[in-house]
Amino acid sequence: MSVTAAKGFRAVGLAAGIKCNGAKDLALVVNDAVAAVSAVAAVFTVNRFAAAPVLVSREAMALAEGGYSLPRAVLLNSGGANACTGQDGYDDAKQAAGALARRLGLKTEEVLVGSTGLIGERLPMGRLLAGTHQAVVNLGATEAAGLAAAEAIMTTDTVPKTAVATGAAGGYTIGGMAKGAGMLAPALATMLAVITTDAQIDNPTAQQALEQACRLSFERIDSDGCMSTNDTVILLASGASGNQPEPQEFADRLTAVAQDLARQLIADAEGAHHEVSVTVTGALTEDGALKVARGIVRSNLFKTAVAGGDPNWGRILSAAGTVPPEDAPFEPNQVDVAINGVTVCRHGGVGEPRHLVDLSGRQVDVVVNLNAGPSRATIWTNDLTHEYVSINADYPS
Amino acid sequence: MSVTAAKGFRAVGLAAGIKCNGAKDLALVVNDAVAAVSAVAAVFTVNRFAAAPVLVSREAMALAEGGYSLPRAVLLNSGGANACTGQDGYDDAKQAAGALARRLGLKTEEVLVGSTGLIGERLPMGRLLAGTHQAVVNLGATEAAGLAAAEAIMTTDTVPKTAVATGAAGGYTIGGMAKGAGMLAPALATMLAVITTDAQIDNPTAQQALEQACRLSFERIDSDGCMSTNDTVILLASGASGNQPEPQEFADRLTAVAQDLARQLIADAEGAHHEVSVTVTGALTEDGALKVARGIVRSNLFKTAVAGGDPNWGRILSAAGTVPPEDAPFEPNQVDVAINGVTVCRHGGVGEPRHLVDLSGRQVDVVVNLNAGPSRATIWTNDLTHEYVSINADYPS
């Protein structure tokens, strides 16, 4: 159901000719409610080479935070990232936002924009603007419209990603879509995601909930350690249900939707044959557990071993051992490692025989117990396969 | 010529049956000079899961620093890393050092040890000890003996790595060997290296020279971002030339030998089709330049693009953009990128057409000019290929 599941939203996805292959490449999501009952929140990449659409959307969000305007439409394209395109690229993004705003009767700063695709190329603005006009005509509130939007933001994704949840007692709905299969790492670990809700919330509640949701979802997956220039997660609220949820309850439901989308991203990560969870337990702090888990999921040697069905726990420990002691205190000779339930390493040394580990299934669960404290954290990743190399060696440029 | 090029050294490499395939797997390097004119220096991995031989060798070096003894022999094996093997593994390493010491008339703490191979398995001590006895009998000062030692430390290396240089006016000689093809990243970026010299120097001069040499060689290559548990670089000085070089001159010659070995490691890195230099210029500090260069060479997306012959500069900038501003101040819209001499990115935006870049050769030179200061640094790496995945998915465990 995606972004049209919640009341008060219309969406569309179509082929505007931005991609060479004729696939869908342009999506709109529009909140039809008036500003007074609407809310908006957004989280962006922290990459210093933030793409032009990120710069334009950040400006719009800054105005929204100041109370000057309230973004209620999102224009997204695949087929080009509009990143590292200088002033020209910025002007392109601004022009696209302005064109959509005029068609919807909004101000330019009430439109957010997002792009994904190759870095360092201008967008074909003629096709994008013509496609935008066409898209406004085709906006719809149906399930099909929401699905088409999710399809239009795909790049190397093989399936669209959507998720839906309902609030307490069915009082409101949250629905979302996301794309991302490579350049997938915190923070964020996605490329583009739009989530809509008909809950009636204010901007600070929306922003706080979205930050919690991202922290526990998109920022806990890491496919290839590569941070994108275009990462954008947007939450639009229409208030159309009339339901005003308790903020923490709303944040938790939103987190569930974001986690659902995040897991779908990892499951469809470029070339992945295994989905891998790395859980670090027994850490002094959650942050320390996260740092050790991130060290492990960034190891190409660990990830190629998983691809080869090899429970090579030495590569897990050698990666964990690169985390500075001040970041995560532990004693190397106290660390246990279990892979799919077999404790192959005990107290930093040899444990159960590694041949007992079954890696024939798609799911691989690694648990590293630091035996140094009460905290834990999980990062989701995938294996590093021949297909990953093929996809990224041959990505068109 | 390797470790036997300098006067006063003998070496040997043979098959002790540690590897299953019958290849050479045991090497000795012996300094025949008396302690009074000898010197020793060593640099070890900073991985917290340091292998047993690293622990044993560190203890020996601590005693040497205290003036209690002076290590003059090195026992190296491939076919097993003796890492994450607990107290048993430590006892094994100590026993091996003791066995060699007795045969050579040295104290146990006058023998350094190093191992490379699979993590998390005990060494076959019977074969290793028998091989050590045999090796002592076969020690020789010939070129062939030095080459055999270089061959005996190979794992996934396809060729042995050796290098030789002579000091000012030919007054002394430095020769070395190294192995390493994967788990190759600072610090260090090797697995095992032994360098010998007949220069007459003291321990502090040797250590200072070795640290400079490592900083400018092994710590400036990064094949796969994975830090080993066993990295060890050892320098043995026999004083046999009678030549007492000026310390900085010696350090510079030693650095040249280490850089030669380091480049050979990258050239033979697992599955590499391209050798890649990433030079960051215009940085405020050398450390900042290094941090940006390291960010780039750790990007799987950049390295798969090189494998595919794709001058995808967007992946270079997106990797550079992950370095925190406090680590390397620069303005994104001031950054230029040249690939093999073509400035494909100018001022953070589109530069010369990317199709002008020729990536058909083995060498790829990337220059990123931050335009933010006077400093520069280079890191050497290689591309990420199908063969890398094959080698590491199928590495026996």
Side-chain angles (χ1 to χ4, degrees):
Chain A
M1 281 295 288
S2 181
V3 290
T4 50
K7 283 183 286 226
F9 293 93
R10 288 178 299 154
V12 64
L14 51 73
I18 305 169
K19 283 179 180 166
C20 307
N21 64 359
K24 291 193 185 76
D25 50 21
L26 191 76
L28 302 185
V29 181
V30 177
N31 173 1
D32 285 319
V34 294
V37 294
S38 295
V40 66
V43 174
F44 301 102
T45 183
V46 295
N47 196 302
R48 292 163 74 181
F49 289 93
V54 170
L55 301 179
V56 168
S57 294
R58 270 194 197 137
E59 289 172 356
M61 289 303 298
L63 288 171
E65 279 164 35
Y68 297 103
S69 56
L70 200 131
R72 274 164 291 157
V74 184
L75 168 61
L76 303 163
N77 76 275
S78 54
N82 195 9
C84 302
T85 44
Q87 182 67 41
D88 290 338
Y90 175 87
D91 293 343
D92 289 346
K94 200 87 177 176
Q95 188 189 0
L100 177 59
R102 279 192 300 280
R103 290 295 305 256
L104 295 174
L106 299 172
K107 292 183 281 184
T108 298
E109 57 268 29
E110 289 172 337
V111 171
L112 302 176
V113 288
S115 298
T116 176
L118 185 66
I119 297 172
E121 299 281 340
R122 297 273 302 274
L123 292 173
M125 286 303 292
R127 292 177 198 166
L128 189 143
L129 293 174
T132 302
H133 283 263
Q134 184 62 41
V136 171
V137 176
N138 293 355
L139 278 166
T142 62
E143 182 171 346
L147 185 61
E151 289 170 353
I153 58 175
M154 291 164 60
T155 51
T156 52
D157 307 64
T158 66
V159 290
K161 286 90 176 174
T162 65
V164 174
T166 48
Y172 63 94
T173 298
I174 302 174
M177 65 178 187
K179 67 78 51 181
M183 211 175 260
L184 206 56
L188 307 169
T190 175
M191 284 282 280
L192 300 175
V194 177
I195 302 174
T196 59
T197 181
D198 47 23
Q200 193 173 336
I201 53 176
D202 58 15
N203 281 352
T205 302
Q207 187 67 32
Q208 212 168 346
L210 188 61
E211 286 174 10
Q212 172 189 307
C214 286
R215 187 172 62 79
L216 298 174
S217 62
F218 301 117
E219 295 186 7
R220 300 247 167 138
I221 63 175
D222 188 332
S223 170
D224 58 6
C226 294
M227 186 201 293
S228 161
T229 51
N230 288 57
D231 295 332
T232 301
V233 182
I234 292 167
L235 171 65
L236 299 174
S238 67
S241 71
N243 188 294
Q244 296 178 305
E246 190 271 317
Q248 190 56 52
E249 190 262 328
F250 177 76
D252 292 344
R253 303 278 166 150
L254 183 68
T255 298
V257 169
Q259 286 176 333
D260 188 343
L261 292 171
R263 292 298 296 273
Q264 291 180 55
L265 294 179
I266 279 293
D268 191 33
E270 288 170 348
H273 292 181
H274 290 90
E275 294 159 48
V276 183
S277 74
V278 175
T279 300
V280 174
T281 67
L284 199 58
T285 64
E286 184 185 1
D287 187 59
L290 275 173
K291 285 203 164 78
V292 174
R294 287 196 204 290
I296 295 166
V297 303
R298 296 246 166 125
S299 165
N300 283 350
L301 287 172
F302 164 60
K303 290 160 74 175
T304 47
V306 174
D310 175 8
N312 193 322
W313 58 269
R315 294 179 178 176
I316 295 172
L317 286 193
S318 67
T322 65
V323 177
E326 59 272 24
D327 285 353
F330 64 81
E331 289 301 321
N333 62 6
Q334 292 300 312
V335 176
D336 302 329
V337 179
I339 305 177
N340 279 356
V342 181
T343 304
V344 284
C345 167
R346 216 180 286 278
H347 305 322
V350 184
E352 302 295 309
R354 57 181 88 199
H355 68 78
L356 297 179
V357 179
D358 179 5
L359 292 181
S360 59
R362 189 167 173 93
Q363 182 66 35
V364 176
D365 296 306
V366 173
V367 179
V368 177
N369 188 342
L370 301 179
N371 285 306
S375 299
R376 62 188 293 141
T378 298
I379 300 277
W380 285 271
T381 187
N382 52 269
D383 51 352
L384 174 56
T385 65
H386 285 286
E387 286 79 357
Y388 178 86
V389 175
S390 293
I391 290 166
N392 285 297
D394 305 337
Y395 192 76
S397 87
Chain B
M1 282 295 289
S2 181
V3 291
T4 50
K7 284 184 285 227
F9 293 94
R10 287 179 299 156
V12 64
L14 50 72
I18 304 168
K19 284 178 179 166
C20 306
N21 64 0
K24 293 194 185 75
D25 50 21
L26 192 74
L28 302 184
V29 182
V30 177
N31 174 359
D32 284 319
V34 295
V37 295
S38 295
V40 66
V43 174
F44 300 102
T45 183
V46 296
N47 197 303
R48 292 162 74 181
F49 290 93
V54 170
L55 300 179
V56 169
S57 295
R58 270 194 197 138
E59 289 172 357
M61 288 303 299
L63 289 171
E65 279 163 35
Y68 297 102
S69 55
L70 199 131
R72 276 164 291 158
V74 184
L75 168 61
L76 303 163
N77 76 275
S78 54
N82 195 9
C84 302
T85 44
Q87 182 67 40
D88 290 337
Y90 175 87
D91 293 343
D92 289 344
K94 200 87 179 175
Q95 187 189 0
L100 177 59
R102 279 192 300 279
R103 291 295 304 258
L104 295 174
L106 298 173
K107 292 184 281 187
T108 298
E109 56 268 28
E110 289 171 336
V111 170
L112 303 176
V113 288
S115 299
T116 177
L118 185 67
I119 297 172
E121 298 282 340
R122 297 276 299 276
L123 292 173
M125 286 305 290
R127 292 176 200 168
L128 190 142
L129 293 174
T132 301
H133 283 261
Q134 183 62 41
V136 171
V137 174
N138 292 355
L139 277 166
T142 61
E143 183 171 343
L147 185 61
E151 289 169 353
I153 57 175
M154 291 164 60
T155 50
T156 54
D157 306 65
T158 65
V159 291
K161 286 89 177 176
T162 66
V164 174
T166 50
Y172 63 95
T173 298
I174 303 173
M177 65 180 187
K179 68 76 53 181
M183 210 176 261
L184 205 55
L188 307 170
T190 175
M191 285 284 282
L192 302 176
V194 177
I195 302 175
T196 60
T197 181
D198 48 23
Q200 194 173 334
I201 53 175
D202 59 14
N203 280 354
T205 301
Q207 187 68 32
Q208 211 166 348
L210 188 61
E211 286 175 10
Q212 172 189 308
C214 287
R215 187 172 59 80
L216 297 174
S217 62
F218 302 118
E219 294 185 6
R220 300 250 166 137
I221 63 176
D222 187 333
S223 170
D224 57 6
C226 293
M227 186 201 292
S228 161
T229 50
N230 288 55
D231 295 333
T232 302
V233 182
I234 292 168
L235 171 65
L236 299 174
S238 68
S241 70
N243 188 295
Q244 295 177 305
E246 189 272 317
Q248 189 57 51
E249 190 262 328
F250 176 77
D252 292 343
R253 304 278 168 151
L254 182 68
T255 299
V257 169
Q259 286 177 333
D260 188 343
L261 291 170
R263 293 297 297 272
Q264 292 180 55
L265 294 178
I266 279 293
D268 192 33
E270 287 169 350
H273 291 181
H274 290 91
E275 294 160 48
V276 183
S277 75
V278 175
T279 300
V280 174
T281 68
L284 200 58
T285 63
E286 183 184 359
D287 187 59
L290 275 173
K291 286 205 163 78
V292 174
R294 287 196 204 290
I296 294 167
V297 303
R298 298 249 166 120
S299 165
N300 282 351
L301 287 172
F302 164 61
K303 290 160 73 175
T304 47
V306 174
D310 174 9
N312 193 323
W313 58 269
R315 293 179 180 175
I316 295 172
L317 285 193
S318 67
T322 64
V323 177
E326 58 272 24
D327 285 352
F330 65 80
E331 290 301 320
N333 63 5
Q334 292 300 311
V335 176
D336 302 329
V337 178
I339 305 177
N340 279 357
V342 180
T343 306
V344 284
C345 166
R346 216 180 286 278
H347 305 322
V350 184
E352 302 293 310
R354 58 181 86 201
H355 68 79
L356 297 179
V357 179
D358 179 6
L359 291 181
S360 59
R362 189 167 173 92
Q363 182 66 35
V364 176
D365 296 307
V366 174
V367 179
V368 177
N369 188 342
L370 301 178
N371 285 306
S375 300
R376 62 188 291 141
T378 299
I379 301 277
W380 285 271
T381 186
N382 52 269
D383 51 353
L384 175 55
T385 65
H386 285 287
E387 286 79 357
Y388 178 87
V389 175
S390 292
I391 291 166
N392 285 297
D394 305 336
Y395 193 77
S397 88

